[in-house]
Amino acid sequence: MTKKIWSVIAVAMITSISLLAGCSGKEEKKDAAHEFQGSTLSMLIWEGYADPSFTALFEKQYGVKIKASYVTSDDDLLAKIKAGGGDAYDIVTPNGTMAGFLMESGITEPIDTSLIPNFKDISPRLILPDMKKDGKIYGVPYMWGPNYLIYDGDVFAEAPKSWSVLWDSTYKGKVGMWDDISNIYIVGEMMGLDKKDPGALYNMTEEQLATARKKLMELNSSVRKYWVSAGEVNDLFANKEIVISMGWPLTIRAVNEKGRHLKWTIPEEGTTGWVDRFMIVKGSKNQKLASLYINFIIGAEGQALTAKVTNYSVVNPKAAEFMSPELQKMTYVHEMDSLFVKLNFWQYVANRARYNEIWTEVKTGK
Amino acid sequence: MNDIMVEIRNVSKSFGKTSVVNDLNLSVHSGEFLTLLGPSGCGKTTLLRMIAGFEYPDKGDILIQGKSILSIPPNRREVNTVFQSYALFPHLTVRENIAFGLKMKKVPREAMDRRVDAAIELTQLESLALRKPAKLSGGQQQRVAIARSLVNEPKVLLLDEPLGALDLQLRRQMQISLRRLQRRLGMTCVYVTHDQEEAMTLSDRIAIMNAGRIEQLGTPAEIYGTPATPFAARFLGDTNFLSGTLQRAADGTMNRFITATSEIPLPTNVELLKEKYQSLSIRPEYISLHHEKPTDFALQGKIIEENFLGLFSRITVSLASGEHLFVLIPSSAKSPYTVGDNIFATWDPAQAHLIGMDNI
Amino acid sequence: MRQGNRQGRSRFVLLGILAPAVIWLVLFLILPYFNLFSFSFWQNDVFTVRHEFNLLNYAKFFTESQTGAAPYLVLLDTLKLACWVTVCTLLLSFPLAYFIRFKVTRYKQALYMLVIIPLWVSYIMRAYSWKIILGTNGILNSFLLWLGIVDTPVSFFLYSDVSVIIGMTHIYTPFVLMPVYTALEQIPQNLIEASNDLGGNRLRTFLHVVFPLALPGIITGGTYAFVLSMGDFLAPSLLGGPTSSTKIANIVQQQFGTSNNWPYGAAIGIVILVLVLGLLEVTGRLERHFSKLESTSPRTLR
């Protein structure tokens, strides 16, 4: 009986795949296909950004191969680009933490947006200062998201209004935070440093840093665990070790699937956010193919497919028509502008070493 | 001298299905040097370990000066053991090793020092007192092991093949000094060995053990002269066995031993034995060889081998019955015998012994 | 002449035999250490390393930062943790080894294996199992609540120094058990019988014979536990709390990762290396001083 069902499913899948392949307009792409036949596009990206559900479409269309290498952190990304360069990777997808630095230090090339017709569809507020230099575009936004304040709906009757809830002694020992220098940004926002200049969070003075350090040291006694991975924060919520933490939508979905009621909010002080963007590594021999891929994936359909895999928000509002109502809601595709007001996108921190030092001092309680 | 120090009553011990000591009885006199002699696996070491307290008998009782010691743990028994491989404490000096027992018994410092000094002097270890055992020769380690036991003035000293690891020359030397020491101190010793020569040199009495039983108990001379069983005869010295039957004489005594080819007179004091088939044991050194037939009885045979052994020569005679007879004669520059000689063997009937065949 | 020739040839053969080992040593031990050593005297630049000799990395490690904290304090913290782990592993493995050696007659090997088996279980898995046991709603807390010993879950079981020590003790106990068990196993049974025979009861036999003879194994095991727990960055980061998840190894790892400051990381590495080498020298001497068991065989006759 089950065997029968499986064979029906298999047949259905095979037919649908062949139908999909047949649909993707063979005629007009014939030249391009000929041009890149047999090439390999190398990408250095975050997990989830090379899912076969969309890369396969591109590979088939152009007769090319996509080779993905993954990074686990901003520093990992920097180290790998340093080691490999344009010979190893064509495309990288850093967020604001490293992107500005990569652009300034000449590791990446300007991108010819004329080869990327879909670029005009990107929400203009996502074209950030650290993507442009001398009137040239260095970064093309791919996906983005806010850093939420996630809380347990069973514990909080209403959404906390301020980040200061983390210091509230009611939740002592029930707070989770990311093990990252971004906690310094949060304190910066609470101090109101980014009221005038969003960049102020990433260029704090020694005095401001000392204040942030003191504030974070006070937080230590409330914190249950500084988590290092999404999996870890999911477990912390699921096991009721914590009731509140900075976090991402993925956590809400994963934990609520287990019957819990996590909710998210953006406090009055605002929050930080991230934008992953495509950059082309200097010395890449596949710049034209890279542009074609970028165009493909920031297109409405590419965006929708990526969102489906990652649950991140899309940069191209047109993607909504390819998304389920549920996914549309989850990724706030219709509320982008109202969200942007509250967001301060991560930027490169010139004095990263000092930020790291401060964070280490907080964690060692010294 | 004759009061009993150690008494072993109907003791049995098995390990799993193997019976090691089998309903054994033995008394050790006070001041006596008694040796348990037997092949490996005969139960002699197990018996010793039961006296020391390391093994517990399945049945029977062990008494010291008439009191059962079975309920006393080894650390409170007034016996001490000299172990086969000495079991010296490698982390302690010679002096500390010797003092160990007194320290355990919390003997006051002064008395302890005095007794340890005495034991060191007795075993001539003065110059080695501060060394660790690893820096000593085998003989020196042996002396430390003995001193370590003696210093406690045990009622019984148990020695488990204590000389087994030494070379022959050193072993002989140690045997003599051990025996001298024991006599001087009048100590009761139970000694385990499988070396017959050692047993004879040291012992007041020997208990020949086989398969968990005592085959024969007696002075070395008794056992050598009148072995009770073929096993005892063979284990203590070499011997010849002749098989045959007893014949009743006209006066009613059994005084002739009939083999296939000859009739041999027996000692007059031989007991009446029920067994029809017997073995006659005669030690090789008691046999004399003659080229001419002697007037007395004689077994005829042919010399098939002669081995020079130093003080003695061993001559192998093939008898008419097919049995071989080993003969020991004092060696001389020119042997009176050559291989192939026809020869007559004879002996003083009083030197031969009948042994029941059922004991083989 | 001829002999010299032969000697030359045998030297050549010897070289051939030793060459792979020497190459391996140079490639995987000496060169990396040399590399680490030279890096520790250089300075970090954003994308490269400036190759000019200076002691700034060491100075940084041993002096206070602008905010008043000296990084070397973390090293002291780590040493304290390592001491705790050493004591706990020894307290756990010595009785266990003693039990297996002296009290178990059947299934001795099986029991020993049972203790060693966790070595084959993934490290992460063992750390996670402790989260399940020690968590706020974990097995231990549920048990204590059920017994009525506590009325609210105890939070310091997990994400604290306590859980780091428990986790490391679990992970490093087999490493300690092995040398301790081996040392106990090598004590001849007849030494214990001799002590009994000479009037030593169980306690005194233990104090005067068993313990002194097991000391070399205890020292070896303790050294393992100390050095391994000092270099462990996984257990603190998985089981440690807000201020107990960053030990010296985490700081080093950070320098080669997030902070991307290899020269500083190398300098801390060298400090740790010197510390460990010093420790090994001391424990090695102690061990030699206490190990007396070799060459006491009765057959050492001249």
Side-chain angles (χ1 to χ4, degrees):
Chain A
M1 187 62 189
T2 37
K3 217 171 176 182
K4 215 170 192 176
I5 293 171
W6 279 117
S7 54
V8 169
I9 292 172
V11 168
M13 276 173 69
I14 291 164
T15 6
S16 58
I17 288 168
S18 41
L19 272 174
L20 261 173
C23 286
S24 50
K26 276 179 209 161
E27 289 304 311
E28 50 182 344
K29 297 282 161 44
K30 208 166 185 179
D31 287 345
H34 186 72
E35 191 181 342
F36 298 108
Q37 189 79 42
S39 306
T40 300
L41 184 67
S42 294
M43 309 199 294
L44 185 65
I45 51 180
W46 303 103
E47 199 94 37
Y49 282 175
D51 195 83
S53 65
F54 42 92
T55 52
L57 294 178
F58 184 77
E59 284 175 332
K60 196 151 174 80
Q61 212 166 37
Y62 294 97
V64 295
K65 261 189 74 68
I66 287 177
K67 190 176 143 247
S69 310
Y70 297 101
V71 291
T72 52
S73 71
D74 298 312
D75 300 280
D76 188 24
L77 178 130
L78 187 63
K80 281 184 172 145
I81 299 176
K82 255 167 133 179
D87 292 332
Y89 311 108
D90 302 306
I91 296 177
V92 291
T93 56
N95 61 46
T97 308
M98 279 299 162
F101 173 70
L102 292 177
M103 176 174 74
E104 295 295 337
S105 52
I107 291 171
T108 55
E109 299 249 6
I111 299 170
D112 183 359
T113 47
S114 68
L115 294 171
I116 307 175
N118 289 332
F119 187 71
K120 63 176 189 327
D121 293 333
I122 289 177
S123 169
R125 299 195 72 138
L126 284 167
I127 315 289
L128 301 173
D130 62 3
M131 298 175 185
K132 294 176 283 196
K133 199 172 97 177
D134 307 330
K136 286 177 190 157
I137 292 290
Y138 278 79
V140 176
Y142 177 22
M143 303 301 282
W144 68 279
N147 301 315
Y148 297 128
L149 181 62
I150 295 178
Y151 60 96
D152 191 331
D154 297 334
V155 174
F156 292 83
E158 54 186 80
K161 298 263 184 311
S162 160
W163 286 106
S164 62
V165 69
L166 299 173
W167 279 259
D168 186 338
S169 63
T170 319
Y171 311 108
K172 198 176 163 112
K174 295 276 173 198
V175 175
M177 286 304 275
W178 189 22
D179 184 357
D180 187 77
I181 58 170
S182 65
N183 293 331
I184 296 171
Y185 312 155
I186 292 174
V187 178
E189 282 192 310
M190 290 173 70
M191 291 158 69
L193 299 182
D194 61 343
K195 286 270 156 59
K196 285 179 200 147
D197 171 21
L201 293 188
Y202 314 101
N203 294 291
M204 284 161 75
T205 63
E206 190 55 41
E207 211 174 313
Q208 290 165 341
L209 283 173
T211 313
R213 175 177 175 278
K214 191 162 162 281
K215 188 91 179 141
L216 286 169
M217 295 275 267
E218 287 164 19
L219 186 61
N220 274 342
S221 63
S222 286
V223 168
R224 182 76 172 135
K225 178 76 183 157
Y226 291 118
W227 45 268
V228 291
S229 66
E232 199 176 5
V233 69
N234 294 357
D235 286 347
L236 286 168
F237 271 119
N239 297 333
K240 298 189 181 172
E241 294 286 353
I242 58 170
V243 297
I244 191 159
S245 175
M246 193 285 280
W248 301 293
L250 225 54
T251 294
I252 301 174
R253 196 184 68 171
V255 177
N256 287 355
E257 268 171 12
K258 293 176 186 167
R260 303 291 300 283
H261 303 102
L262 295 193
K263 291 177 177 166
W264 64 270
T265 185
I266 293 174
E268 283 164 353
E269 297 97 339
T271 189
T272 47
W274 52 271
V275 184
D276 286 340
R277 73 283 318 260
F278 286 112
M279 298 184 93
I280 294 178
V281 182
K282 189 168 214 151
S284 157
K285 291 178 187 65
N286 297 308
Q287 293 201 23
K288 209 170 161 199
L289 183 62
S291 303
L292 275 174
Y293 182 75
I294 295 170
N295 188 54
F296 159 77
I297 205 73
I298 66 168
E301 199 184 346
Q303 287 274 287
L305 287 169
T306 312
K308 201 174 168 194
V309 171
T310 60
N311 280 359
Y312 299 151
S313 298
V314 295
V315 298
N316 185 347
K318 285 186 180 168
E321 68 176 284
F322 294 96
M323 291 157 82
S324 67
E326 218 179 316
L327 193 61
Q328 287 177 26
K329 195 162 169 257
M330 200 182 291
T331 56
Y332 306 100
V333 69
H334 303 299
E335 300 158 70
M336 282 164 74
D337 287 336
S338 59
L339 259 176
F340 287 152
V341 183
K342 298 182 187 170
L343 289 185
N344 179 341
F345 287 110
W346 283 339
Q347 293 178 21
Y348 175 64
V349 177
N351 200 0
R352 193 170 167 80
R354 183 65 186 136
Y355 272 59
N356 269 321
E357 212 169 271
I358 293 278
W359 179 234
T360 300
E361 287 180 12
V362 169
K363 276 195 303 169
T364 53
K366 300 280 186 270
Chain B
M1 175 76 197
N2 259 347
D3 53 337
I4 289 166
M5 178 60 80
V6 184
E7 195 182 348
I8 290 155
R9 280 189 196 157
N10 306 102
V11 163
S12 293
K13 174 77 182 172
S14 350
F15 294 117
K17 283 180 183 161
T18 328
S19 166
V20 183
V21 174
N22 208 339
D23 195 26
L24 188 141
N25 284 286
L26 177 68
S27 293
V28 185
H29 301 298
S30 183
E32 180 183 35
F33 197 114
L34 184 132
T35 297
L36 303 173
L37 175 68
S40 57
C42 73
K44 57 190 192 299
T45 295
T46 306
L47 183 60
L48 196 78
R49 288 172 61 80
M50 286 194 283
I51 302 172
F54 302 134
E55 308 287 354
Y56 198 87
D58 299 333
K59 274 185 217 139
D61 201 354
I62 299 174
L63 302 93
I64 287 185
Q65 290 181 321
K67 281 181 211 137
S68 173
I69 54 164
L70 286 187
S71 57
I72 303 173
N75 57 315
R76 298 219 311 273
R77 289 193 187 184
E78 289 171 286
V79 299
N80 282 119
T81 309
V82 176
F83 290 85
Q84 188 168 14
S85 45
Y86 319 137
L88 299 181
F89 302 118
H91 57 299
L92 303 178
T93 61
V94 166
R95 199 187 162 81
E96 288 165 337
N97 260 284
I98 295 172
F100 194 90
L102 301 179
K103 202 171 152 193
M104 290 296 123
K105 290 186 197 91
K106 297 188 175 147
V107 170
R109 181 84 210 190
E110 233 168 87
M112 178 163 89
D113 281 347
R114 202 179 56 240
R115 284 165 69 176
V116 171
D117 284 339
I120 286 177
E121 203 190 317
L122 197 67
T123 45
Q124 298 166 358
L125 287 164
E126 292 94 336
S127 58
L128 307 170
L130 298 177
R131 290 206 196 160
K132 294 276 172 66
K135 297 262 157 55
L136 304 180
S137 73
Q140 290 164 341
Q141 290 185 33
Q142 175 56 56
R143 269 146 60 200
V144 178
I146 290 171
R148 188 176 69 173
S149 293
L150 282 181
V151 77
N152 301 294
E153 295 165 8
K155 286 187 173 154
V156 185
L157 184 66
L158 307 170
L159 301 104
D160 185 6
E161 306 214 22
L163 308 179
L166 306 179
D167 62 40
L168 188 64
Q169 210 181 344
L170 191 58
R171 197 153 70 210
R172 292 225 167 104
Q173 223 175 305
M174 291 298 295
Q175 282 165 8
I176 292 162
S177 55
L178 186 62
R179 182 63 166 145
R180 208 174 282 160
L181 203 63
Q182 187 264 340
R183 287 226 169 98
R184 216 171 107 194
L185 301 173
M187 195 155 38
T188 313
C189 289
V190 179
Y191 192 98
V192 160
T193 186
H194 64 265
D195 181 332
Q196 43 162 299
E197 191 190 316
E198 191 166 286
M200 286 195 278
T201 310
L202 288 167
S203 315
D204 292 321
R205 284 195 301 160
I206 295 173
I208 304 258
M209 283 188 69
N210 186 28
R213 293 172 199 270
I214 292 178
E215 294 249 341
Q216 190 174 7
L217 177 68
T219 64
E222 276 166 10
I223 297 179
Y224 192 84
T226 54
T229 65
F231 180 84
R234 255 193 314 241
F235 210 80
L236 209 67
D238 284 326
T239 195
N240 293 295
F241 290 117
L242 296 170
S243 51
T245 46
L246 288 168
Q247 197 187 61
R248 197 176 292 268
D251 60 357
T253 57
M254 287 195 266
N255 61 352
R256 295 198 80 77
F257 188 74
I258 312 297
T259 70
T261 51
S262 47
E263 286 184 16
I264 302 166
L266 288 172
T268 46
N269 62 347
V270 74
E271 294 168 47
L272 274 166
L273 293 164
K274 282 178 189 152
E275 295 86 355
K276 193 181 174 198
Y277 289 93
Q278 298 284 331
S279 213
L280 189 70
S281 156
I282 176 77
R283 300 273 180 198
E285 65 270 27
Y286 295 148
I287 302 173
S288 57
L289 297 175
H290 305 275
H291 282 104
E292 304 297 323
K293 185 173 168 37
T295 50
D296 235 347
F297 85 96
L299 303 180
Q300 197 179 353
K302 192 184 220 176
I303 295 177
I304 56 167
E305 204 178 336
E306 179 173 2
N307 306 100
F308 177 72
L309 304 176
L311 199 55
F312 289 96
S313 285
R314 187 177 64 188
I315 293 171
T316 313
V317 177
S318 174
L319 298 175
S321 63
E323 288 171 303
H324 285 181
L325 203 61
F326 297 102
V327 182
L328 277 183
I329 58 161
S331 7
S332 53
K334 194 180 177 297
S335 170
Y337 310 107
T338 45
V339 172
D341 281 2
N342 279 312
I343 209 86
F344 296 94
T346 186
W347 55 84
D348 175 359
Q351 304 286 8
H353 294 277
L354 280 174
I355 294 166
M357 288 298 280
D358 64 331
N359 283 332
I360 293 185
Chain C
M1 267 295 264
R2 282 189 62 168
Q3 199 176 355
N5 207 346
R6 202 186 305 155
Q7 229 170 39
R9 204 182 309 150
S10 72
R11 213 175 283 163
F12 193 72
V13 171
L14 194 71
L15 205 75
I17 295 166
L18 288 179
V22 170
I23 290 171
W24 193 91
L25 268 178
V26 168
L27 228 62
F28 294 108
L29 209 74
I30 296 170
L31 267 181
Y33 276 136
F34 179 76
N35 220 349
L36 197 74
F37 191 68
S38 9
F39 255 91
S40 76
F41 296 109
W42 294 339
Q43 270 300 298
N44 201 37
D45 250 352
V46 192
F47 246 90
T48 60
V49 164
R50 250 181 298 131
H51 296 214
E52 18 182 276
F53 178 88
N54 63 71
L55 293 168
L56 290 175
N57 296 312
Y58 291 96
K60 184 179 174 185
F61 185 66
F62 286 107
T63 50
E64 291 184 352
S65 78
Q66 288 143 283
T67 25
Y72 76 89
L73 294 174
V74 180
L75 180 59
L76 297 187
D77 252 15
T78 310
L79 293 180
K80 208 167 84 188
L81 171 80
C83 283
W84 273 105
V85 174
T86 307
V87 169
C88 291
T89 46
L90 283 173
L91 284 180
L92 192 68
S93 31
F94 190 85
L96 202 60
Y98 187 88
F99 179 76
I100 299 175
R101 162 68 178 86
F102 291 110
K103 303 288 167 198
V104 180
T105 43
R106 295 169 73 197
Y107 310 118
K108 192 175 267 209
Q109 210 55 36
L111 197 65
Y112 179 73
M113 286 313 288
L114 217 61
V115 181
I116 302 299
I117 274 172
L119 280 181
W120 280 275
V121 177
S122 130
Y123 185 112
I124 308 261
M125 210 131 98
R126 281 184 281 168
Y128 266 94
S129 63
W130 281 110
K131 289 190 181 190
I132 294 167
I133 295 167
L134 300 173
T136 306
N137 302 298
I139 296 167
L140 181 60
N141 267 316
S142 311
F143 185 64
L144 290 179
L145 286 169
W146 179 74
L147 284 179
I149 292 174
V150 295
D151 38 293
T152 47
V154 181
S155 64
F156 71 78
F157 289 156
L158 185 60
Y159 302 129
S160 64
D161 274 323
V162 174
S163 54
V164 177
I165 291 169
I166 292 176
M168 283 191 181
T169 301
H170 175 213
I171 287 156
Y172 296 125
T173 289
F175 290 94
V176 182
L177 185 94
M178 284 195 276
V180 171
Y181 179 77
T182 308
L184 288 173
E185 181 78 350
Q186 277 172 357
I187 299 174
Q189 185 64 33
N190 67 9
L191 287 189
I192 289 148
E193 286 182 354
S195 170
N196 272 319
D197 187 76
L198 293 165
N201 59 19
R202 217 176 276 176
L203 177 68
R204 312 199 95 205
T205 298
F206 175 79
L207 289 177
H208 290 97
V209 179
V210 177
F211 187 74
L213 291 176
L215 255 182
I218 293 171
I219 293 170
T220 309
T223 311
Y224 282 165
F226 193 88
V227 172
L228 287 172
S229 54
M230 208 175 120
D232 191 343
F233 57 87
L234 263 178
S237 104
L238 290 171
L239 298 171
T243 53
S244 50
S245 59
T246 310
K247 301 297 169 197
I248 196 68
N250 301 74
I251 304 261
V252 174
Q253 188 215 16
Q254 234 172 61
Q255 301 315 314
F256 288 93
T258 353
S259 298
N260 201 22
N261 189 347
W262 287 30
Y264 184 46
I268 305 176
I270 292 292
V271 171
I272 298 172
L273 187 71
V274 169
L275 203 76
V276 168
L277 286 178
L279 183 85
L280 288 180
E281 176 62 25
V282 170
T283 56
R285 269 165 198 265
L286 280 175
E287 217 180 293
R288 257 170 279 139
H289 180 256
F290 287 117
S291 71
K292 310 280 167 37
L293 269 182
E294 75 275 27
S295 77
T296 34
S297 132
R299 298 200 181 268
T300 47
L301 303 171
R302 262 168 304 135

